[in-house]
Amino acid sequence: AQSVTQLDSHVSVSEGTPVLLRCNYSSSYSPSLFWYVQHPNKGLQLLLKYTSAATLVKGINGFEAEFKKSETSFHLTKPSAHMSDAAEYFCVVSAGSASKIIFGSGTRLSIRP
Amino acid sequence: NAGVTQTPKFRILKIGQSMTLQCTQDMNHNYMYWYRQDPGMGLKLIYYSVGAGITDKGEVPNGYNVSRSTTEDFPLRLELAAPSQTSVYFCASSYGTGGTYEQYFGPGTRLTVT
């Protein structure tokens, strides 16, 4: 069985400060892991994905995530937040099958000027 | 290249009415999906398709039907709408299984059933 937990429903940071969005997963198989971003009234867009290659994954817009098997975590980070980063972020775990794609409940990121 | 398009953007239905949500992709993707997103929740898979003529149920298929007669189109049918179907519906597509490949999402359809 698979599951994914996003540990914070809402994160607020000041512009120019680091961003950390936390994601823990559970999977019986070697998982693929994704981070998607959803801006208001838009569809989801892929930020980055891990599929058993390098454990540190770089994505778009300066985001990166590190796959830590021992901690079953896949936290999303960015060194310096920008106002345009304000959005909802979803962590996704998959065992590879189209029907076994599990979305986390989302983390809303707010950026303070 | 329009990507994934969905119509309508918004719809209000009365209880018991039916409607079809349209989804089209122009990327020649084999896999297509329908999700619903309820407030404060992640996306739940309703139905998916691995190619024209092949569909399968996801996690929450009750009250919905789908068909896939072409690679491009994957309409979602709601029969006898109920308030529990009030949600935002997203269509997505991917080149291979979305478990490994990136999924491309449409902008969503916001449906209210009253």
Side-chain angles (χ1 to χ4, degrees):
Chain A
Q2 300 178 110
S3 66
V4 58
T5 302
Q6 292 185 242
L7 296 165
D8 306 291
S9 60
H10 182 214
V11 170
S12 180
V13 302
S14 296
E15 190 174 21
T17 65
V19 174
L20 170 64
L21 304 184
R22 299 182 294 164
C23 173
N24 286 352
Y25 71 91
S26 171
S27 178
S28 305
Y29 306 92
S30 294
S32 296
L33 294 157
F34 304 78
W35 276 99
Y36 284 86
V37 60
Q38 183 183 30
H39 291 279
N41 300 314
K42 302 283 189 185
L44 282 71
Q45 178 187 15
L46 182 71
L47 273 180
L48 49 82
K49 67 177 182 180
Y50 166 79
T51 53
S52 76
T55 56
L56 183 61
V57 182
K58 294 189 184 301
I60 62 172
N61 300 333
F63 284 94
E64 61 181 39
E66 186 171 7
F67 173 69
K68 291 188 176 181
K69 186 175 181 179
S70 61
E71 299 176 12
T72 61
S73 69
F74 191 57
H75 300 336
L76 182 70
T77 61
K78 183 174 180 177
S80 176
H82 190 272
M83 294 300 292
S84 61
D85 295 328
E88 189 92 17
Y89 291 79
F90 293 94
C91 183
V92 180
V93 64
S94 169
S97 160
S99 64
K100 291 182 169 59
I101 303 169
I102 308 299
F103 283 75
S105 56
T107 297
R108 183 165 60 92
L109 177 63
S110 300
I111 312 295
R112 302 186 299 271
Chain B
N1 204 342
V4 179
T5 57
Q6 292 182 239
T7 56
K9 285 187 169 55
F10 304 94
R11 184 72 186 268
I12 298 174
L13 279 183
K14 294 191 186 305
I15 294 171
Q17 287 185 322
S18 300
M19 76 165 293
T20 299
L21 281 66
Q22 301 291 346
C23 175
T24 300
Q25 55 94 4
D26 63 359
M27 296 172 282
N28 202 33
H29 285 167
N30 287 325
Y31 287 72
M32 295 188 75
Y33 313 79
W34 274 106
Y35 292 94
R36 59 177 288 171
Q37 183 181 31
D38 298 319
M41 307 285 285
L43 276 66
K44 302 288 187 186
L45 183 64
I46 304 171
Y47 272 95
Y48 68 99
S49 169
V50 302
I54 307 169
T55 63
D56 208 346
K57 296 177 182 178
E59 184 180 358
V60 290
N62 291 342
Y64 308 93
N65 275 302
V66 294
S67 59
R68 184 102 181 264
S69 57
T70 67
T71 299
E72 296 78 19
D73 299 308
F74 191 42
L76 177 71
R77 178 84 178 159
L78 278 71
E79 305 282 0
L80 299 174
S84 61
Q85 293 178 303
T86 293
S87 190
V88 181
Y89 291 84
F90 288 99
C91 179
S93 71
S94 62
Y95 173 73
T97 170
T100 305
Y101 290 84
E102 173 183 0
Q103 291 180 295
Y104 293 80
F105 287 83
T109 294
R110 188 174 297 272
L111 176 67
T112 301
V113 182
T114 60

